[in-house]
Amino acid sequence: MRQSLAFAALALFAVAPVSATVAPGTAPGSAVGLFGAYDDHNAFARILKGTLPATKVYEDSQVLAFMNIHPVSRGDLLVIPKQHARNLMDIRPSVLAHLMQVAQRLAKAQAAALHPDGIFLRQNNGEEADQTVFHFHLHVTPQYAGVPLAKTSYDQPPADPVELARIAGQIRAAMR
């Protein structure tokens, strides 16, 4: 039952695909559609290893949620499994179900803390579907009326870490 709900929920966040520019540091040959090799040096693998910093919002034994360093809106965050899973094709169903439950908790906390007018979830698979980091991740993105989403670009400087920490603290406080 949980698996069915998780897969049904994922179907709700389909977005028109566009070809992606892969993240800096992606290993050559790892960005090859839906079934490429897992790159254990991708940005999210490095965050999990502690060799790349992240502004954490939530963590348990299966998942990690952190602020998007290139946010498309105020409060934009990512939820990733701790297991190596390149995309939806690789993630264990039980981990996916848990990740969706965490995403729901985070969305409720974003709503309480940041007062957006909407929240959208996005999960991309393969570079043709705009996946740029080849580790499964779910975007939990607040949307504000009249404020268009920013275009994520690795050419832009990262968000202010002090501001990300402040917003992360607001979301964490609303999770209690």
Side-chain angles (χ1 to χ4, degrees):
M1 175 70 169
R2 260 197 224 159
Q3 282 179 322
S4 299
L5 290 174
F7 286 117
L10 284 173
L12 295 176
F13 11 101
V15 178
V18 268
S19 188
T21 300
V22 299
T26 299
S30 67
V32 288
L34 294 176
F35 301 103
Y38 182 82
D39 171 13
D40 63 359
H41 297 291
N42 72 65
F44 298 161
R46 289 183 287 156
I47 287 171
L48 289 170
K49 291 178 199 169
T51 61
L52 195 63
T55 305
K56 296 178 182 180
V57 177
Y58 174 85
E59 184 172 14
D60 65 28
S61 64
Q62 296 183 68
V63 301
L64 172 65
F66 53 93
M67 301 303 295
N68 190 345
I69 196 162
H70 292 285
V72 298
S73 75
R74 184 173 160 272
D76 187 18
L77 57 85
L78 302 163
V79 188
I80 65 172
K82 288 186 172 181
Q83 78 169 97
H84 287 179
R86 178 181 168 79
N87 57 35
L88 183 62
M89 311 310 151
D90 298 336
I91 190 169
R92 286 194 314 265
S94 61
V95 174
L96 178 61
H98 177 70
L99 187 141
M100 290 302 298
Q101 290 172 342
V102 170
Q104 182 183 40
R105 267 187 80 199
L106 290 162
K108 288 178 179 181
Q110 284 174 325
L114 306 176
H115 311 290
D117 299 294
I119 295 174
F120 96 89
L121 303 177
R122 185 178 80 240
Q123 200 284 307
N124 308 20
N125 297 279
E127 60 270 34
E128 289 303 316
D130 206 23
Q131 183 178 10
T132 61
V133 177
F134 298 93
H135 183 107
F136 179 96
H137 56 287
L138 178 66
H139 298 256
V140 183
T141 306
Q143 291 194 253
Y144 303 90
V147 181
L149 295 176
K151 174 76 173 132
T152 296
S153 168
Y154 295 110
D155 296 331
Q156 298 169 344
D160 176 16
V162 173
E163 178 67 5
L164 291 179
R166 188 182 67 71
I167 295 168
Q170 290 176 302
I171 297 168
R172 272 193 304 275
M175 288 184 80
R176 296 171 198 201

